[in-house]
Amino acid sequence: MSERTEPKPSAPILEVRGLRKAFDRVPVLRDISFSVEKGNVITVIGPSGSGKSTLLRCASFLESANDGDILYDGEYALKSGVYAQKKDLNRFRTLFGMVFQNFNLFPHYSVMRNICEPPILRGCEKEAAEERAVTLLKKMGLEGKEKAYPCQLSGGQQQRVAIARALALEPEILYFDEPTSALDPELTGEVLKVIRQLAEDHMTMVVVTHEMSFAHAVSHRVVFMDGGYIMEEGTPSEIFDNPREERTKRFLSNYRK
């Protein structure tokens, strides 16, 4: 796949400015700033412990940032370290979906219920939720799995159910936290194929990944993190073919397209 062409500029769906986070006074995110345009795919790469997953967890309010700004569609969810009111945060939560590395499916729910439960809890009619679930399962290549339980599925199938569950809420942006790290190479390919298709469908995504070939192929922009900092950000060609920073060069030294 050739490098992706960025859509025409629009207001960022997500803006992060000067984000900081520490655990027990140990800095994990240090002055992080970036933005995501509608329809773009941003991949976040870097060594383990660089703050990539914490960045996603702060953007999705699963962790509380210590300072900085987070804006969705130009509105402040976090301003100078102070969060918006609960009703506003709940509204912002409807804008994104999260796919975790360990699937996080409900083991005692069927595939159908795993997908339908979140939209039903948000007020969607059961029939409409089930109709959308069937459509999404077909898109994921999981027709006929509606009555199965997570324990009856492979890891790749479980992750595709998790993606369908996130899409069932019709989010504006999808976050993926190392979606293939718990999978073997064959099952990794299944999941990456689905994410590639979402990219072709212009789904806005931020993907934390260790899959360099995938990041090179699907990204509009690549963010390289290390030590809680964004060390470098650019197009796939800039980051993979002509990195500026020595730390980026060392990290990518074993990567071959």
Side-chain angles (χ1 to χ4, degrees):
M1 185 185 297
S2 60
E3 185 171 309
R4 295 175 59 78
T5 302
E6 294 197 29
K8 294 180 180 179
S10 60
I13 189 172
L14 170 68
E15 293 179 80
V16 175
R17 304 172 183 165
L19 196 68
R20 297 179 184 274
K21 172 66 178 177
F23 292 107
D24 296 327
R25 298 185 179 181
V26 177
V28 178
L29 299 178
R30 308 167 186 254
D31 196 24
I32 298 294
S33 299
F34 72 103
S35 63
V36 182
E37 308 289 335
K38 186 175 178 60
N40 279 8
V41 179
I42 309 297
T43 51
V44 185
I45 64 172
S48 297
S50 58
K52 305 183 302 296
S53 294
T54 301
L55 173 57
L56 281 195
R57 292 180 67 82
C58 285
S60 59
F61 316 139
L62 294 173
E63 295 284 357
S64 296
N66 300 127
D67 198 7
D69 303 335
I70 298 174
L71 296 88
Y72 280 98
D73 285 338
E75 294 186 68
Y76 283 98
L78 175 75
K79 185 173 184 180
S80 300
V82 178
Y83 282 89
Q85 294 183 4
K86 183 177 179 180
K87 63 181 179 63
D88 292 318
L89 289 181
N90 288 337
R91 176 167 54 86
F92 291 132
R93 286 188 177 97
T94 67
L95 300 178
F96 57 77
M98 174 72 91
V99 178
F100 300 90
Q101 56 183 321
N102 291 318
F103 325 134
N104 284 21
L105 298 176
F106 293 107
H108 54 295
Y109 286 179
S110 67
V111 165
M112 177 62 78
R113 189 173 177 187
N114 261 287
I115 297 172
C116 291
E117 192 80 358
I120 289 173
L121 289 174
R122 286 190 182 175
C124 181
E125 293 290 335
K126 182 179 179 182
E127 184 177 346
E130 291 181 348
E131 183 176 333
R132 178 156 175 77
V134 169
T135 299
L136 287 169
L137 285 171
K138 184 176 182 180
K139 186 180 182 72
M140 298 296 126
L142 293 171
E143 302 99 318
K145 297 295 185 180
E146 291 86 353
K147 296 181 180 180
Y149 285 82
C151 65
Q152 299 172 311
L153 304 176
S154 69
Q157 289 173 327
Q158 289 185 62
Q159 192 61 292
R160 282 181 279 158
V161 172
I163 295 171
R165 179 180 61 184
L167 289 170
L169 292 169
E170 300 184 302
E172 290 191 30
I173 182 170
L174 267 186
Y175 295 131
F176 290 86
D177 186 9
E178 299 187 14
T180 61
S181 66
L183 304 176
D184 64 36
E186 184 176 7
L187 299 182
T188 291
E190 294 178 6
V191 173
L192 293 182
K193 181 179 179 181
V194 168
I195 302 175
R196 284 173 185 260
Q197 184 57 59
L198 292 174
E200 292 298 318
D201 294 340
H202 307 294
M203 183 73 207
T204 309
M205 295 183 282
V206 179
V207 186
V208 169
T209 184
H210 289 294
E211 300 290 336
M212 297 298 106
S213 295
F214 167 78
H216 192 286
V218 306
S219 304
H220 293 94
R221 298 191 69 77
V222 179
V223 172
F224 172 64
M225 291 184 65
D226 188 34
Y229 293 99
I230 291 181
M231 305 296 293
E232 192 164 355
E233 178 183 357
T235 65
S237 290
E238 289 169 340
I239 298 300
F240 290 103
D241 302 331
N242 191 30
R244 300 185 310 272
E245 302 294 329
E246 285 301 320
R247 182 65 186 94
T248 315
K249 293 175 184 178
R250 291 200 305 274
F251 178 76
L252 295 173
S253 61
N254 294 321
Y255 166 64
R256 297 290 184 271
K257 295 190 293 294

